[in-house]
Amino acid sequence: MGGGHKPQKNKAHKTKFASKSSRNVHKLAGDGPKGGGKAAARAQKNTSHGQRAKELRLLRTKNIRDHKRATLLAEKRANTGASCSPKILAIVALSSKVDVRLLKKWIVSTAPLAENGSENAPADDVMETEETSAVESGLVTVVVPRYKSRLTVIEAPRDDLQACLEVAKVADILAFAVAADDAEYVDRAGKVVLSMLRGAGLPSCTGFIANLAAVPAKKRADAKRAASAALAMELPEDSKCFATETVDDFNQMMRSLAEQRLAEPKWRTQRPYVVAQELTFSTTSPGSGALILSGYVRGRTLSVNQLVHVAGVGDFQFGQIDVVEDPAPLRQRRKQAGDAQMVVDDVEDKEGPFSVQPDPENQEPLIIENTPDTLAGEQTWPTEEELAEAGEENKKRLKKKLLPKGTSDYQAAWIVEDSDEDEDGVQDGDEDGSMKGASENEEGDEEGSGISEEEQMNVTSESVWGDDDDTQSEMMDEDNLTPAQRAAEIERLKAAHATDEEFPDEVDTPIDRPARERFAKYRGLKSFRTSPWDSKESLPLEYSKIFAFDNFARTQKHVLAKAAERDGKQLHGLIGPHTYVRLHIKNVPAKAAELLLSTFKQVPVVACALHQHETKMSVLHYSIKKYEGCAELIKSKDTLIFHTGFRRYTTRPIFSTDDMNVDKHKFERFLRPGQFALASVFAPVSYPPLPLVAFKEFPDGVKLVASGSLRSVNPDQIILKRIILSGYPHRVTKRKAVVRFMFHNPDDVRWFKPLELWTKYGRRGRIKEPVGTHGSMKCIFDGVPQQRDAVCVSLYKRVYPKWPCQ
C-alpha cells in the first residue's frame, strides 16, 4: 500500500447540539474584505467562523455596557447639581429614645460648618440661612455647596401612622434612626412602622445612630457596631449607617447621599407631583377658593392642562401655574469682607418668572361619575314582524322542560339535566326492577306536560325504591315529632358536625319561611369554574355611575405613552422637573383648605398631576394581605382607610379569593391571616403598579390592618357569595338515602330538585322526590353514603362593593 496512503475521512454526524460558530455561519458570510481578490481569499482562510462570532459577541456586550454607563451618567447629572431639586430626607425613629427633632436640628446647624470642614470657622464665612430659625417644624432646606447638594429635612411622627406614611410617600431618602444606648434597637411601634413602609414601597434608605454621647467612650465603638448590625437586618441591602455627633459624621453622610443613586418607587416616577413648601388660600366664592401651593416639580413633566389631585381633599383643575425664582439656590449670596453689598454668585442664567394659563380647548374635563340615562332601558311595543318571529321561534322548541313556576328562560339554562344520571340509575345492576320502572315513569312525566304538580304529589304508591313500608314509616316518624323535638334534633345533628371547619359557608334553612323565598336571589352552578354567568345581569344602580374599558391594559399603555412623549418637550404649558412653581388650584372647598393650612407643617401636602381617566369612578381590585400583627377580625364591608399612591379615601371593600385561572371569584366573609385575597372597591381609576396600605379605626385609635397592591380595574369581574344548605341521612339503603332537615316543606324540595347534591365525604347525588310533609326527601348517590355523613347543596349569588362613604 505504501506511505502515500491518506487517512479515511468519514461524513460528520448531524446533531442538534451545534456550536455557536456553526449557527452563525449565515450571519458571517459577508464579513471580511469584499471582492474576489487574494486579500479576500486570505482573510477567509486565516479567520475562522468561531473567531468572527466571538468578536461580534464582544462588540455587542461593549455596546450594552456603554449604553448603561451613559444612562447612569445622564441620570446622575439630572439628579445632582444646581438644576436639581433638593433631596427630601425623612427621619423615622424606630425607638422611643430617639428624638427626631434633635436630629433634624443637628443636620440644619451642622450644614454651615461642613462647608469649610472645621468647627472653628470664622463667623463671617458661615452661610446664613433663614431656615435655621425655623428648625422646629415643617420642611427645612439646607444647602451644602461643598458637595453640590441641597437637602430638605422633615421628621416623621411615629405616633401617627398615617402621618408617618404621608411623609414616606414624598421622601427621596428614608433615614431610620436607632438609639445606641437602647438595648432594644427596634421596639414594637418601630416594627409596625417598618411593616407599613415596606408595604408602601421603600425608596433609598440609610441609617442614623443617635445618642452615642450617652455611651462611655471605651464602649462607643462596640455600641456603634452593634447598632449598625441591628439596622442592617431591617434595611435593604447596601444601606449605610452613620453616626450623628460631629461634623465629620455629617460630612460622611452628605458625601454618601450626594453620590448615592436614588431608587424611587416606580409608581411615583410615572406622575409629576409637587410637595408644598408654602401654602396659602384665597377665597373666590362662598365656600370655595383657590389653593396656592409652591414647591418643586418632581417626577415627570407637568402640564397646565392636566387635572391635579390634592392628597386628602380631591381632584381639581389648574387655574394658573407660575414659574418663580428658586428660594434656595445651590450658590447662595455671601457677604464680602468690608463690603455691605451682596454679590450674586450664580453661574447659570435662568429665565425670569412667567405664568402659564390652561387652554380651555385642551384642558381635561373634571368628570368623576357617569350621568346615567334614565330612558336607556325603556322598551317599546313590539312590531308585528317581531311578534311573528317570536312565534316561529316558539314553534321550533320541540322539547318542553318541566320547570318550577316563575322560572325564566335564562334560569332554565343553568338547570342541570338529569337524563345521564337516570340512565346510570337504570343500568345499575344492584337495583331492583321497581327502581327501573320508576325511572321510566319519571322520564315519561318529563316528556309529557299534562301532569300537574298536585297529581305528582298524589303519586305515592309508585315509590322510587318500591318500598312503601319505608316511605310510610318515614312519614310516620316525621309526623310524630313536635316542633320542639324537631328543633332539638336539628341542634343535636349540628353539634355533631360543629367541629368541621372546612365548610364555613353553611347556613340554616328557616323553619317559618319557605327556602325558595329566603334564597330567591341564589342559584345553583354545575361547576364553579366552567358554568356561565352573565356579568351584565341585574346590576345595581351604582354601576350606572361608573366607567368601564374595553381593554384596560391597552388604555394604560396608550396613556403612559402620551405622558412619556411630553417629557423633554419645550412647549407652551409644559413645565419640566426640578422647576420651582406656584400652583393655583381652583374650586377647592374652604373647610378642606383650612384643615390643610393647620396641618401642612406636620404632614406634607402633595399636589399630584393625574393621567387621563384617573378621576373617573370604576371598580378596582387590590391584591391584599392581612398584617401579621393585627389580631382583630377584618370583615367584608367594614369601613377601611385606603392609602394607594398619593390618594387616600374611606371605603367599604368586599374580599374574595385570589384565583388566577377562573372568571369567577368566591366571596370571603373576612380577611384570613397569611393568605392573599382580592379587595374590590368603588374608587377613581388608577394605573398599576400602585401600592396599598389599609387602616381601620378602632376605639383605641387607627391601626394598620393590611397591605397590598393594585391588581386590575374591571367592573365585569364576578364575585359570588356561596351558601351551603345541609341535611343529614336518616335511612340509607345502598346508594339511596332519605335526607331530612335540609328543607322543611315538600314545595322547597321540588323547587331545588334540579340542583346537584354532594356530601362532605365526597359523594355526588341528586334529589328524587319529597317524602312526607316536613321536607324529607329521597336521594340517590354515586356510591354508598355513610350514616354519619352530611348532604349539602351549594347556592350562589353575585355581590357588589359598597359605594364610598361621603
Side-chain angles (χ1 to χ4, degrees):
M1 295 292 292
H5 176 70
K6 295 182 179 181
Q8 181 181 355
K9 292 184 179 180
N10 297 326
K11 184 179 179 181
H13 179 65
K14 293 182 180 180
T15 175
K16 62 180 180 179
F17 300 102
S19 63
K20 291 184 178 179
S21 60
S22 62
R23 290 199 300 266
N24 294 328
V25 169
H26 64 285
K27 299 180 181 179
L28 305 171
D31 294 346
K34 303 295 182 182
K38 295 182 179 180
R42 187 165 50 253
Q44 292 290 341
K45 181 178 180 181
N46 296 335
T47 306
S48 63
H49 296 298
Q51 183 65 24
R52 291 197 297 273
K54 181 178 180 181
E55 292 176 357
L56 286 178
R57 292 197 303 271
L58 292 177
L59 180 61
R60 181 174 178 273
T61 305
K62 180 179 179 300
N63 292 337
I64 294 175
R65 184 170 60 251
D66 293 342
H67 178 70
K68 288 184 178 179
R69 184 182 293 110
T71 303
L72 292 177
L73 183 60
E75 181 182 351
K76 183 177 181 180
R77 289 175 178 174
N79 294 328
T80 57
S83 62
C84 176
S85 57
K87 298 178 181 179
I88 299 179
L89 176 67
I91 306 175
V92 183
L94 299 181
S95 174
S96 58
K97 292 187 177 182
V98 177
D99 189 354
V100 292
R101 291 184 178 271
L102 187 61
L103 290 176
K104 180 181 178 182
K105 185 177 181 180
W106 171 76
I107 294 175
V108 175
S109 60
T110 312
L113 302 176
E115 181 180 1
N116 295 325
S118 174
E119 297 183 4
N120 299 322
D124 293 339
D125 292 339
V126 175
M127 186 191 314
E128 293 185 357
T129 58
E130 297 178 357
E131 291 83 2
T132 305
S133 60
V135 174
E136 295 301 328
S137 62
L139 297 170
V140 178
T141 302
V142 294
V143 182
V144 187
R146 180 180 181 182
Y147 300 103
K148 298 182 180 179
S149 177
R150 291 183 294 177
L151 205 63
T152 299
V153 188
I154 183 174
E155 68 273 16
R158 62 183 254 124
D159 297 333
D160 189 350
L161 290 179
Q162 295 192 78
C164 182
L165 180 59
E166 293 293 338
V167 172
K169 288 179 183 179
V170 302
D172 296 320
I173 303 171
L174 277 178
F176 294 98
V178 297
D181 58 342
D182 190 0
E184 186 181 7
Y185 296 104
V186 182
D187 57 10
R188 185 175 180 181
K191 293 180 179 178
V192 175
V193 171
L194 279 172
S195 299
M196 175 187 66
L197 297 183
R198 289 194 190 104
L202 290 176
S204 300
C205 297
T206 187
F208 283 175
I209 302 174
N211 301 348
L212 277 174
V215 180
K218 294 183 179 180
K219 299 181 179 180
R220 195 165 296 172
D222 295 337
K224 181 179 178 180
R225 193 179 302 109
S228 300
L231 270 175
M233 296 176 60
E234 304 292 345
L235 302 184
E237 296 181 0
D238 301 332
S239 298
K240 298 182 179 180
C241 301
F242 305 96
T244 57
E245 300 298 329
T246 63
V247 178
D248 292 338
D249 296 335
F250 180 84
N251 288 331
Q252 292 179 9
M253 179 195 70
M254 288 303 304
R255 186 184 301 110
S256 176
L257 297 183
E259 297 177 356
Q260 184 179 8
R261 182 188 178 190
L262 299 181
E264 291 187 283
K266 187 176 180 180
W267 64 269
R268 204 167 65 186
T269 60
Q270 292 181 347
R271 299 165 178 84
Y273 64 97
V274 177
V275 182
Q277 304 275 353
E278 299 177 1
L279 192 67
T280 58
F281 180 75
S282 61
T283 304
T284 57
S285 62
S288 65
L291 183 68
I292 303 174
L293 185 147
S294 302
Y296 296 91
V297 178
R298 303 172 186 269
R300 311 190 74 159
T301 301
L302 176 64
S303 174
V304 71
N305 296 319
Q306 287 182 280
L307 298 176
V308 60
H309 172 78
V310 180
V313 180
D315 304 332
F316 308 96
Q317 289 180 324
F318 284 119
Q320 178 182 333
I321 297 181
D322 303 330
V323 177
V324 298
E325 185 180 355
D326 194 337
L330 183 60
R331 300 189 179 276
Q332 291 191 351
R333 301 178 178 182
R334 299 170 179 270
K335 287 185 178 181
Q336 299 294 329
D339 192 358
Q341 294 182 355
M342 303 296 292
V343 179
V344 179
D345 186 12
D346 195 352
V347 179
E348 298 183 2
D349 295 332
K350 296 184 178 180
E351 298 181 0
F354 63 92
S355 300
V356 291
Q357 304 287 339
D359 186 2
E361 296 181 358
N362 297 327
Q363 190 175 22
E364 294 185 15
L366 183 59
I367 301 176
I368 298 177
E369 297 181 7
N370 181 33
T371 303
D373 186 4
T374 56
L375 300 179
E378 184 179 1
Q379 296 182 357
T380 58
W381 188 259
T383 62
E384 296 181 359
E385 296 179 357
E386 294 176 348
L387 292 175
E389 293 178 359
E392 293 178 359
E393 291 180 358
N394 292 332
K395 293 179 180 179
K396 292 180 181 179
R397 299 178 182 176
L398 300 178
K399 182 178 180 181
K400 184 177 180 180
K401 296 182 180 179
L402 184 61
L403 302 175
K405 291 183 179 179
T407 305
S408 63
D409 294 339
Y410 179 79
Q411 292 173 335
W414 55 263
I415 295 181
V416 181
E417 296 289 348
D418 56 354
S419 58
D420 296 339
E421 296 178 356
D422 289 338
E423 293 176 1
D424 295 340
V426 173
Q427 294 176 1
D428 191 359
D430 294 338
E431 298 182 7
D432 50 11
S434 60
M435 180 65 189
K436 181 176 180 180
S439 300
E440 293 175 353
N441 292 335
E442 186 178 357
E443 292 176 359
D445 294 342
E446 291 181 357
E447 293 178 357
S449 59
I451 301 179
S452 61
E453 293 185 1
E454 291 78 10
E455 294 176 352
Q456 291 182 5
M457 294 178 60
N458 295 330
V459 181
T460 57
S461 60
E462 295 182 4
S463 174
V464 177
W465 290 332
D467 191 354
D468 295 340
D469 295 337
D470 292 342
T471 303
Q472 295 296 333
S473 61
E474 177 64 25
M475 296 174 60
M476 292 290 293
D477 293 341
E478 293 290 337
D479 293 338
N480 293 334
L481 292 178
T482 63
Q485 291 176 345
R486 287 177 56 83
E489 183 68 13
I490 294 174
E491 292 298 330
R492 183 186 67 80
L493 293 173
K494 288 182 179 179
H497 295 79
T499 57
D500 192 356
E501 299 179 356
E502 296 181 3
F503 306 95
D505 299 326
E506 292 189 46
V507 298
D508 296 334
T509 305
I511 300 178
D512 56 346
R513 184 181 178 185
R516 60 185 181 277
E517 296 179 4
R518 169 62 180 83
F519 306 116
K521 296 182 179 181
Y522 290 84
R523 66 181 63 172
L525 291 178
K526 176 66 176 177
S527 173
F528 185 84
R529 185 178 62 87
T530 60
S531 297
W533 193 294
D534 187 4
S535 60
K536 305 295 185 182
E537 176 192 5
S538 303
L539 295 177
L541 180 62
E542 289 79 9
Y543 269 61
S544 62
K545 304 177 183 179
I546 65 175
F547 295 84
F549 300 89
D550 292 336
N551 191 328
F552 181 76
R554 182 178 58 191
T555 302
Q556 178 183 356
K557 184 178 179 180
H558 174 69
V559 169
L560 296 182
K562 288 176 58 179
E565 291 178 359
R566 290 197 297 261
D567 294 343
K569 288 187 177 181
Q570 301 294 334
L571 299 177
H572 180 72
L574 298 182
I575 301 172
H578 312 300
T579 306
Y580 194 84
V581 296
R582 185 183 296 119
L583 307 179
H584 296 259
I585 305 172
K586 60 182 182 181
N587 299 330
V588 178
K591 293 183 179 179
E594 293 176 0
L595 181 62
L596 292 179
L597 290 173
S598 61
T599 60
F600 96 100
K601 289 294 184 181
Q602 293 77 25
V603 182
V605 177
V606 184
C608 172
L610 300 175
H611 292 306
Q612 188 180 8
H613 308 303
E614 281 197 326
T615 59
K616 300 176 181 178
M617 296 292 291
S618 188
V619 182
L620 276 63
H621 307 280
Y622 292 90
S623 178
I624 192 172
K625 184 179 181 181
K626 188 177 181 181
Y627 170 54
E628 296 178 355
C630 179
E632 291 81 1
L633 190 64
I634 309 301
K635 298 181 180 180
S636 287
K637 302 180 183 179
D638 281 354
T639 302
L640 301 181
I641 304 173
F642 272 23
H643 286 250
T644 169
F646 288 117
R647 290 186 183 272
R648 67 175 184 267
Y649 48 84
T650 303
T651 185
R652 299 174 62 188
I654 60 173
F655 304 127
S656 59
T657 55
D658 191 4
D659 298 329
M660 300 292 293
N661 298 325
V662 296
D663 60 345
K664 296 179 284 293
H665 301 265
K666 180 179 171 297
F667 172 79
E668 295 287 346
R669 289 177 169 82
F670 55 88
L671 199 58
R672 301 178 184 273
Q675 298 181 8
F676 277 96
L678 285 182
S680 303
V681 297
F682 285 112
V685 173
S686 299
Y687 298 111
L690 207 61
L692 168 67
V693 179
F695 298 90
K696 184 179 180 181
E697 187 173 357
F698 294 95
D700 54 346
V702 178
K703 296 183 181 180
L704 174 67
V705 296
S707 62
S709 61
L710 178 61
R711 173 67 64 81
S712 63
V713 179
N714 184 15
D716 293 335
Q717 185 162 304
I718 299 174
I719 302 175
L720 300 181
K721 180 180 179 181
R722 184 184 72 172
I723 62 171
I724 298 175
L725 306 181
S726 58
Y728 307 97
H730 182 57
R731 294 184 179 178
V732 178
T733 305
K734 294 183 180 180
R735 298 193 305 118
K736 304 174 287 289
V738 174
V739 180
R740 59 178 182 171
F741 300 143
M742 180 180 289
F743 305 107
H744 301 290
N745 60 76
D747 294 335
D748 289 340
V749 176
R750 297 186 186 92
W751 181 266
F752 292 98
K753 182 179 178 181
L755 301 182
E756 183 182 18
L757 302 177
W758 55 274
T759 70
K760 295 183 179 181
Y761 285 87
R763 297 299 180 189
R764 296 283 174 174
R766 61 187 180 88
I767 301 173
K768 296 298 294 184
E769 63 180 11
V771 176
T773 60
H774 290 79
S776 296
M777 56 188 181
K778 295 180 180 180
C779 305
I780 183 171
F781 298 91
D782 58 356
V784 180
Q786 301 183 24
Q787 191 73 38
R788 59 176 180 173
D789 204 349
V791 181
C792 306
V793 63
S794 299
L795 299 176
Y796 302 89
K797 77 169 182 178
R798 187 177 179 184
V799 292
Y800 307 91
K802 291 294 183 180
W803 195 254
C805 304
Q806 300 295 334

